[in-house]
């Protein structure tokens, strides 16, 4: 299954609109990268101040997925949005070490 799904989540002491959690499930390849970027665009459009990437359920990452993570991080930084990453699956950790 390839999808990046966004949901707004509360952060203690902040209104719900300040944070967005983007859950990536399955393979982070060209298709997953497109979905991830679309979800990040949606979060930026909602004017959140923080995006949390949940990469717990990613089973594989390829070069397109890594490039998308980098593009999204740069986009968020340029827009002044904080990017945080929760627990990463082993495939994500391996890919990030390369």
């Amino acid at each position: 299954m390839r999808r990046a799904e966004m949901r707004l989540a509360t952060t203690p002491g902040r209104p719900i609109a300040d944070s967005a959690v983007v859950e990536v499930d399955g393979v982070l390849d060209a298709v997953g990268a497109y979905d991830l970027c679309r979800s990040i665009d949606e979060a930026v459009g909602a004017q959140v101040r923080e995006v949390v990437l949940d990469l717990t359920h990613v089973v594989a990452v390829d070069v397109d997925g890594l490039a998308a993570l980098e593009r999204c991080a740069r986009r968020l930084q340029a827009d002044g949005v904080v990017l945080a990453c929760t627990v990463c699956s082993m495939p994500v950790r391996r890919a990030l070490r390369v």
Side-chain angles (χ1 to χ4, degrees):
M1 180 176 357
R2 297 178 185 132
R3 64 182 167 91
E5 179 179 299
M6 188 185 90
R7 64 178 171 84
L8 293 178
T10 57
T11 303
R14 295 187 190 171
I16 191 167
D18 278 348
S19 299
V21 176
V22 178
E23 297 174 339
V24 182
D25 183 14
V27 179
L28 190 51
D29 56 3
V31 174
Y34 173 80
D35 291 340
L36 173 64
C37 291
R38 217 177 61 206
S39 293
I40 295 295
D41 289 343
E42 187 177 337
V44 170
Q47 298 181 341
V48 298
R49 295 188 333 194
E50 174 184 66
V51 171
V52 178
L53 283 179
D54 182 347
L55 304 173
T56 306
H57 301 289
V58 174
V59 296
V61 181
D62 70 6
V63 68
D64 293 318
L66 285 174
L69 287 171
E70 183 178 358
R71 277 193 314 275
C72 291
R74 287 183 184 183
R75 163 97 194 270
L76 292 170
Q77 183 178 24
D79 289 333
V81 177
V82 174
L83 174 64
C85 189
T86 63
V87 179
C88 295
S89 66
M90 189 55 73
V92 173
R93 284 188 236 162
R94 281 189 201 118
L96 291 175
R97 276 188 239 157
V98 173

